[in-house]
Amino acid sequence: MRVIIFGATGMTGQAALRACVEDPGVDEILVVGRTPLPRRDAKVREVVHQDFTDFTAVQAELEGFDACFFCLGVSSAGLSEEQYTRITYDCTLAAARAVGANNPDLTFTYVSGDGTDSTEAGRVMWARVKGRTENALLAMPFHAYVFRAGYIQPRGGIVSRTPSYRRLYRLTSWLYPVLRRLAPGHVTTTEHLGRAMIAVVALRGGSPTVLSNRDINRLGEPAADPGTPGADRP
């Protein structure tokens, strides 16, 4: 399987990249980003591109792929709706059109957020914009999947690029086991997220196309090890 990843330096992008590197079923990974990766595996190839609203210059590089994991995103804090829309909607749709143009059987996975507003008419700005983005992707002529992740616990050395988020995770990481027991439908891990992205490719457009944290955790469950009682369940 050949995979494209957008946003591989962010926390969810790191999760997707690591899962693809570790999965023997993934033969090639193309990472599209504005800056080079700090390090890369032998099966990773990079395209450095600055304008995420226009991929014309690298269109030829995006052909012949089975899946695209779009993990690029920002917090809405401090942004106007216009600014947030440009990053969240315009950039995502530009990438989706570019990747989908010559990959007719593509699976496109978009990392959204728990609480997204599919009606596009609610009072919360980020939820409306993400809802509009989800709806546009689900209407496109490829196999689209939306991951509505909630709290994501970083694992295996994966960290957020945002300093405030890194501090938050350091302060609250001890709470994850509690959250996992009290609100299992609202939490996941980077490990489950990455494995679930690969798993949905095999669904080939089958339901559900909008995945909750429970769906992500189910699809991202590690393969059972007969010698290890009790899987790594979220």
Side-chain angles (χ1 to χ4, degrees), residues 70-136:
F70 195 89
C71 307
L72 186 69
V74 296
S75 168
S76 63
L79 298 179
S80 67
E81 183 161 351
E82 181 181 1
Q83 291 170 321
Y84 188 68
T85 296
R86 179 173 176 79
I87 298 169
T88 302
Y89 180 87
D90 295 347
C91 291
T92 305
L93 268 293
R97 293 186 186 103
V99 175
N102 295 299
N103 298 304
D105 202 33
L106 180 80
T107 295
F108 189 100
T109 298
Y110 172 62
V111 180
S112 185
D114 192 9
T116 294
D117 178 13
S118 296
T119 71
E120 306 179 32
R123 297 177 61 183
V124 181
M125 183 270 282
W126 73 263
R128 289 196 308 270
V129 176
K130 279 192 177 289
R132 181 184 171 204
T133 306
E134 288 184 359
N135 292 339

Side-chain angles (χ1 to χ4, degrees), residues 26 40 47 79 95 110 114 138 162 167:
V26 177
R40 63 183 182 185
V47 168
L79 298 179
Y110 172 62
D114 192 9
L138 292 169
T162 306
R167 290 193 295 271

Side-chain angles (χ1 to χ4, degrees), residues 151-155 167-184 186-189 234:
Y151 177 88
I152 304 171
Q153 178 65 32
R155 292 271 183 87
R167 290 193 295 271
L168 178 64
Y169 279 117
R170 282 198 298 268
L171 292 171
T172 61
S173 60
W174 64 274
L175 275 173
Y176 175 71
V178 178
L179 294 172
R180 185 177 62 185
R181 289 175 175 80
L182 297 181
H186 296 279
V187 299
T188 188
T189 69

Side-chain angles (χ1 to χ4, degrees), residues 138-215:
L138 292 169
M140 294 185 75
F142 47 49
H143 307 313
Y145 287 90
V146 169
F147 277 34
R148 288 188 176 177
Y151 177 88
I152 304 171
Q153 178 65 32
R155 292 271 183 87
I158 289 178
V159 296
S160 171
R161 292 182 64 191
T162 306
S164 60
Y165 286 4
R166 288 199 299 270
R167 290 193 295 271
L168 178 64
Y169 279 117
R170 282 198 298 268
L171 292 171
T172 61
S173 60
W174 64 274
L175 275 173
Y176 175 71
V178 178
L179 294 172
R180 185 177 62 185
R181 289 175 175 80
L182 297 181
H186 296 279
V187 299
T188 188
T189 69
T190 51
E191 293 170 338
H192 284 82
L193 187 71
R195 288 191 296 257
M197 289 185 192
I198 295 173
V200 297
V201 181
L203 297 180
R204 300 182 62 81
S207 296
T209 55
V210 178
L211 284 82
S212 68
N213 290 280
R214 291 185 187 277
D215 297 319

